[in-house]
Amino acid sequence: MKKSNILKWIIFAVALATNIFILVNSFIFGDASNAESNAITSTAASAVNGVLPGTVTKDNYESFIVIIRKVFGHFGLFGFSGVFTTWSIYFFVKQSKFNYFIHFSCLSLLFGFWIAWLSEFVQLFVPGRSGSVTDVMIDFAGYFIGVLLVILILFLAKKPVFQKQKQQEKWA
């Protein structure tokens, strides 16, 4: 098996695991989800205060919780999903005869919106949870940034190839 083929399947596995993780966590009951979030934010607050003592206090702890949950839990996790899902889709459609750039970009953005919407929609039916349009927007924004990052990396990686091709066409 070629190295690029192995890489394709590893990236696909990471994307799949990340998206399954997102969906599974949408089904966790409110009390358990809050306990998990509180454990994470408490650990993060201890880490921040270990490096910068007195940064997270009783007065700003609620704001710190919102930052951790929204920036890292929603935006960050969906950004991670956006990177690996887009990269995975790229590997699977790049052999397409049709413009693969449009394929992988549109497919990934469509999937990103779907997973953001679905993960919040299911929470409407889970005890102690509530879906939020704001969270869908935060989730999709993170995913979108992940997609843009992959597109930028692919563009920069291919840029020298495009320049060589243009020079060859110029001299032909």
Side-chain angles (χ1 to χ4, degrees):
M1 189 179 267
K2 293 181 183 178
K3 285 182 183 179
S4 63
N5 211 15
I6 293 170
L7 180 62
K8 173 172 76 172
W9 288 104
I10 290 171
I11 290 169
F12 175 76
V14 171
L16 184 64
T18 302
N19 291 306
I20 288 172
F21 177 82
I22 288 169
L23 289 177
V24 165
N25 277 285
S26 298
F27 286 96
I28 296 174
F29 286 11
D31 293 340
S33 177
N34 283 335
E36 188 177 295
S37 291
N38 290 339
I40 292 169
T41 54
S42 175
T43 303
S46 296
V48 168
N49 283 335
V51 175
L52 301 167
T55 302
V56 181
T57 63
K58 289 180 183 179
D59 295 333
N60 65 7
Y61 188 72
E62 291 300 317
S63 298
F64 182 75
I65 289 173
V66 171
I67 290 169
I68 294 297
R69 289 184 84 163
K70 301 299 180 189
V71 174
F72 294 102
H74 285 270
F75 188 87
L77 181 59
F78 275 83
F80 187 82
S81 172
V83 166
F84 282 92
T85 302
T86 303
W87 201 3
S88 181
I89 291 171
Y90 165 76
F91 276 127
F92 283 97
V93 302
K94 74 178 183 176
Q95 304 303 326
S96 169
K97 301 289 182 203
F98 184 66
N99 189 342
Y100 71 86
F101 181 80
I102 292 172
H103 267 149
F104 89 85
S105 301
C106 291
L107 281 172
S108 187
L109 288 171
L110 191 63
F111 179 81
F113 182 76
W114 177 80
I115 196 90
W117 176 83
L118 184 62
S119 68
E120 291 299 318
F121 179 74
V122 243
Q123 292 179 42
L124 295 173
F125 307 99
V126 176
R129 301 288 295 269
S130 61
S132 161
V133 173
T134 302
D135 284 351
V136 171
M137 292 187 299
I138 293 168
D139 296 346
F140 186 70
Y143 192 94
F144 184 77
I145 295 299
V147 171
L148 289 180
L149 182 62
V150 172
I151 290 171
L152 178 65
I153 289 168
L154 290 172
F155 175 75
L156 292 176
K158 290 185 179 243
K159 190 174 179 181
V161 173
F162 291 139
Q163 289 175 347
K164 286 180 186 176
Q165 185 178 8
K166 286 180 184 177
Q167 286 176 351
Q168 290 171 351
E169 289 172 2
K170 184 178 173 182
W171 295 103

